[in-house]
Amino acid sequence: MTAQPPLTDPYQRRLSYLRLSVTDLCNYRCTYCLPDGYQGKAKPDELTLPEIQTLVNVFAAAGTRKIRLTGGEPTLRRDLADIIAACKANPLIENVALTTNAFRLAKLFPAYRAAGLDKINISIDSFDPDTFFQITGKRECANILRALDGILDAGFYGVKVNTLLLRRYAERTLADALAFVRARPVTLRFIELMQTGDNGAFFNSQHLSAAEIERGLQEQGWQLAPRLPHAGPAREYFHRDFAGSIGFIAPYSEDFCKSCNRLRVTAQGKMHLCLFGGIAYDLRPFLRAGNAEGLRQYLHQTIAEKPEHHYLHDKKVGLITNLSMTGG
């Protein structure tokens, strides 16, 4: 498919970044998302590899340059390496990234790298093994950190760490985070807790604004780095005494949606113009039929409905009951 006019929303935001969930299934029991664990087995209607290939090619022709594979936990799909390769096969796609809880990462990563993976985001909500277990229900902290250091030692530096900012653990987690990035060329990003349909009480007790921590780092000499093309909304800071950097994803900040460049597609082929939007646009009929031209037209039609911003401040969370539905 030849390149088409790039997808641009009514607010002149170029949509160059696709977050593609490949499964809802997750093997963790995180307090903020699925405290009782994922109920049941993987849904039988996950997008197939041919459907993903059609999706990627149409989005690439429409201006997508970065694809992030998410879940649930995407590594639970046995064909994930094939999905990575399918994304990387399109020459218009500049970066293929993966967000993972890093379960069995040491074993799985070589295949993902060979398939063409460019970047990996690893979720580590605490560097303390006991706290990690309290948050995730898994005793995997030491294994994940060992696997991460192995990836760096192998010369793969496209690594970021995602750490959810929870009021209860914030002071200790910040100290551990700074120690972690002092000698490692890794960006660690604190993500503000977001309210969903299922976590209202937890959100009210544990939400902490990233602005408080940002101000503290600025006072300690951390400087804001320029935003890279096709990047997400994180604000990233660097310091001359640290090999790594610290970032913040703060969805409740005033300008969070101003530079939104992303679309989201669920594991069942539903497109969300906003993570917290109230409508899911069904792409599956086009994907099942391999109808690339029909999908292209549909994308350009529906993009006109993309909202200017979310309504989290008004407690409107749209269709999202938990973050495993779209990978955040």
Side-chain angles (χ1 to χ4, degrees):
M1 177 178 290
T2 58
Q4 303 291 330
L7 288 173
T8 304
D9 74 7
Y11 308 97
Q12 301 307 305
R13 295 175 297 196
R14 167 84 179 275
L15 301 170
S16 61
Y17 180 6
L18 172 64
R19 294 180 64 100
L20 173 60
S21 174
V22 296
T23 184
D24 293 338
L25 189 63
C26 187
N27 57 337
Y28 274 32
R29 304 166 65 93
C30 296
T31 53
Y32 54 84
C33 185
L34 293 172
D36 298 320
Y38 186 88
Q39 303 300 306
K41 299 180 180 180
K43 296 177 181 177
D45 58 347
E46 292 175 344
L47 291 174
T48 65
L49 184 59
E51 289 173 332
I52 290 173
Q53 290 172 322
T54 298
L55 180 80
V56 168
N57 290 336
V58 172
F59 270 81
T64 294
R65 297 296 175 260
K66 177 180 179 180
I67 296 177
R68 177 169 298 283
L69 301 173
T70 70
E73 173 46 43
T75 64
L76 295 178
R77 275 200 61 155
R78 296 181 179 180
D79 60 348
L80 182 59
D82 295 329
I83 294 172
I84 293 169
C87 295
K88 195 66 177 177
N90 190 298
L92 295 174
I93 300 299
E94 299 172 7
N95 283 294
V96 179
L98 173 68
T99 294
T100 174
N101 63 27
F103 181 76
R104 297 172 60 215
L105 183 63
K107 178 180 179 179
L108 298 172
F109 180 75
Y112 300 158
R113 187 177 187 182
L117 186 68
D118 296 299
K119 300 174 185 292
I120 187 167
N121 286 17
I122 299 173
S123 298
I124 306 176
D125 289 324
S126 175
F127 295 92
D128 174 72
D130 290 335
T131 303
F132 185 94
F133 174 71
Q134 291 172 24
I135 296 173
T136 67
K138 294 288 184 178
R139 294 199 179 277
E140 291 290 328
C141 186
N143 293 333
I144 292 170
L145 294 176
R146 191 179 306 115
L148 191 158
D149 282 336
I151 289 172
L152 295 175
D153 290 343
F156 187 91
Y157 299 119
V159 179
K160 293 183 178 179
V161 172
N162 292 338
T163 300
L164 191 70
L165 191 57
L166 297 173
R167 179 178 294 278
R168 178 180 177 184
Y169 308 110
E171 185 175 352
R172 168 69 185 274
T173 302
L174 175 60
D176 288 346
L178 291 172
F180 184 79
V181 302
R182 182 174 289 278
R184 293 177 177 86
V186 168
T187 297
L188 187 146
R189 292 145 9 130
F190 285 106
I191 303 175
E192 274 189 3
L193 179 64
M194 292 174 276
Q195 186 168 0
T196 64
D198 284 350
N199 75 351
F202 186 90
F203 174 85
N204 291 333
S205 67
Q206 294 300 324
H207 178 260
L208 178 66
S209 171
E212 300 177 31
I213 298 178
E214 281 192 72
R215 285 193 294 268
L217 291 182
Q218 290 167 351
E219 292 170 358
Q220 297 171 29
W222 289 79
Q223 299 180 38
L224 187 64
R227 187 171 181 269
L228 298 175
H230 317 307
R235 297 191 295 269
E236 296 186 357
Y237 291 83
F238 66 94
H239 193 290
R240 63 183 182 181
D241 296 333
F242 289 76
S245 57
I246 296 287
F248 297 90
I249 298 177
Y252 292 88
S253 61
E254 183 177 353
D255 60 349
F256 182 75
C257 299
K258 184 177 180 180
S259 58
C260 182
N261 60 352
R262 65 187 56 193
L263 294 168
R264 293 173 171 82
V265 175
T266 71
Q268 289 73 41
K270 302 290 179 62
M271 183 171 67
H272 292 247
L273 301 179
C274 173
L275 175 59
F276 296 99
I279 302 176
Y281 297 86
D282 192 3
L283 309 184
R284 202 64 180 271
F286 303 104
L287 299 176
R288 282 181 172 146
N291 184 359
E293 178 57 25
L295 178 57
R296 183 193 70 80
Q297 293 180 16
Y298 186 67
L299 291 181
H300 282 275
Q301 292 169 4
T302 55
I303 205 63
E305 304 299 321
K306 185 171 173 65
E308 184 177 8
H309 52 75
H310 61 60
Y311 293 92
L312 286 177
H313 295 94
D314 299 326
K315 304 291 185 181
K316 295 179 180 179
V317 299
L319 300 176
I320 303 302
T321 56
N322 61 73
L323 293 175
S324 72
M325 292 176 61
T326 60

